[in-house]
Amino acid sequence: MTTQQLTQQIHLKKSFLCIGLDVDLTKIPPHLLQLEDPIFEFNKAIIDATHDLCVSYKPNTAFYEAYGIKGWQSLEKTIKYINEKYPEIFTIADAKRGDIGNTSSMYAKAFLEDLNFDSVTVAPYMGKDSVEPFLAFENKHTILLALTSNEGAFDFQTLETNGTALYKHVLETSKSWKNAHNLMYVVGATKAEYFADIRKIVPDSFLLVPGVGAQGGNLKDVCQYGMNGAIGLLINSSRAIIYANSGENFAEEARAEALKMQQEMEMILRFANS
């Protein structure tokens, strides 16, 4: 999927919501545990209930890898279901990979070719040759960790070298990499005050923004400082939506929570276009 197609979906659905599919078997409705593949059945119900309210789904691969081969098979079934039934949805493998070049090539092949995700999250610590293998895939996107929403982000990401914060070096340097037009960036919503500076460095790139809601990030602040002319934001929400209810009507409750976010986004888009 191209960024132009993603932007079209944002305007069509009046939403820039990304729903995180982080499935924990201890949190899903108990009646699903009796099924052959409770993870996939949970995802399928969430997807069917919310697909018209969001533009992206983001499975965090750790929540599937934790269950071994069965979890990986559930991930395969989930991405195949989205691609076949809702091909307009932008898919993100939240894998946070990053290794030496030949290893990164295999990671990229696994997520972008075999599983056919539209994008994958990548850690930039090992530099250019660890990221460029992901960038080599046409119309696929690499979402680079830039400034994350966790408390430990301040351990390294905001440290200054030669008067410039490390995350700014990451942003600036990444623009010189081969196929950098395929880059997007993770920027945590809990760091809303940083968005203005980030937009000075990567004004046109999409930003994947976790941390709205449960982690304390504010949607309006993120949009005020982070939105560009093409919107350029994917706001992720996971727990607040998918675990809105643990009863048999869990999908309907998830839809209700997603609808609240979509309606807030619609108002922001309307104001931005006025």
Side-chain angles (χ1 to χ4, degrees), residues 1-5 90-91 112 116-119 134-142 179 181-182 184:
M1 178 181 289
T2 67
T3 53
Q4 290 80 9
Q5 289 171 322
F90 183 77
T91 55
L112 302 178
N116 198 23
F117 276 91
D118 290 308
S119 64
F134 294 93
L135 293 171
F137 289 75
E138 187 176 1
N139 292 333
K140 301 286 186 174
H141 304 275
T142 300
N179 296 321
H181 59 278
N182 289 333
M184 299 179 176

Side-chain angles (χ1 to χ4, degrees), residues 115-126:
L115 290 174
N116 198 23
F117 276 91
D118 290 308
S119 64
V120 58
T121 57
V122 172
Y125 191 77
M126 292 182 70

